[in-house]
Amino acid sequence: MEEVERMFHSLNGVILPGGHVKLNQSGYTTVGKKLLDLATKAHDQTGEVFPIWAECLGLELLALLIGERDVNKGQYDESLFSLTDARNISLRLELPSDYKSTKLLGSAPDYIINFITQQDINYNNHFRGIMPETFNKDEKLRNFFQIVSINKDRKGKPFISTMEARKYPFYLFQWHPAKPQFEWSRVKDIKHTQEAILAGQYWANFFVNQARLSSHQFPSIKEEKAALMYNYNPVYTGNLITMLQCYFWK
């Protein structure tokens, strides 16, 4: 955990990506919890901005941690989630009436709002989610997060697709905003229209602008260069899995 804390003070934000690991059996949970604790503590003590962007599995992890559903004792608390039929499907975001009060969409141009709500360009690939009814009954989640969007799966079951922390710069997505720009697979329902690309760029710009508010930096240029992803070569994996590129390191 010393390495995680060192990197926290060197970076300007973190992305918790999607995946298929078991949260109660993975270092993903341990590292994610540590980063959440560090970011929350820094904000409470000094007002430091350290944005956390959590997608799919990342949303599930942060929701479990904030809701204090224990994921570290070998028992994955499923009660927070309901099964959803939302694998490999792009949907339109359904926004609440107060979406303008959110950080994520409060300053979004009207054309972006039109793109994400009028076109099926928001890619989902999950089999469980948090129902609005469950969220509203959970006081810890309700007080910590604000719902930004809701969707319905293929069978019409509603689930929370986007939410953000009320106090902290934490942003949670059950879907994958970057897929239209970077994931090209003929077996996935990922839209690559101009509107989808522009919407994806909006989300990216939002997160980068949040990261610019952070004062964290590496202790030296040498350490910064050593940590850059440019030190590693991506491997084409499109013939093996639907992810086109992967990084491998020890």
Side-chain angles (χ1 to χ4, degrees), residues 15-16 19 27 49 57 67 77 90 103 119 121 135 145 150 153 166 172 182 185 229:
I15 295 174
L16 299 178
V49 174
L57 186 69
D77 188 343
S90 291
K103 297 184 286 291
Q119 300 187 31
I121 59 174
F135 176 90
F145 293 112
I150 292 174
D153 70 2
R166 298 180 184 275
L172 284 65
F182 299 107
S185 171
M229 184 60 78

Side-chain angles (χ1 to χ4, degrees), residues 178-203:
K179 292 291 186 181
Q181 294 172 290
F182 299 107
E183 197 67 33
W184 298 83
S185 171
R186 299 184 69 177
V187 300
K188 289 185 177 182
D189 183 39
I190 300 174
K191 303 300 192 298
H192 302 289
T193 62
Q194 182 180 21
E195 292 84 356
I197 301 302
L198 289 172
Q201 192 60 56
Y202 169 79
W203 300 113

Side-chain angles (χ1 to χ4, degrees), residues 60-72:
E60 295 178 16
L61 175 60
L62 263 60
L64 288 169
L65 293 173
I66 297 302
E68 298 182 0
R69 310 297 182 94
D70 199 336
V71 294
N72 292 310

Side-chain angles (χ1 to χ4, degrees), residues 126-179:
H126 54 91
F127 59 88
R128 60 184 166 220
I130 303 174
M131 295 183 65
E133 179 182 2
T134 304
F135 176 90
N136 290 326
K137 290 180 179 179
D138 192 306
E139 184 177 3
K140 291 185 176 67
L141 288 182
R142 193 174 65 248
N143 290 338
F144 195 92
F145 293 112
Q146 178 179 358
I147 295 176
V148 179
S149 72
I150 292 174
N151 275 108
K152 296 183 180 69
D153 70 2
R154 289 184 177 89
K155 298 177 181 177
K157 178 184 289 187
F159 63 90
I160 296 173
S161 47
T162 316
M163 57 185 179
E164 67 181 29
R166 298 180 184 275
K167 179 181 178 182
Y168 305 96
F170 306 157
Y171 308 97
L172 284 65
F173 301 80
Q174 190 67 74
W175 52 289
H176 301 275
K179 292 291 186 181

Side-chain angles (χ1 to χ4, degrees), residues 13 20 32 34 39-40 44 51 54-55 75 105 139 160 178 219 223 226 229 239:
H20 300 286
K34 179 66 174 179
T40 303
D44 288 342
E55 288 188 21
Q75 182 63 46
L105 294 176
E139 184 177 3
I160 296 173
E223 290 181 65
M229 184 60 78
N239 291 328

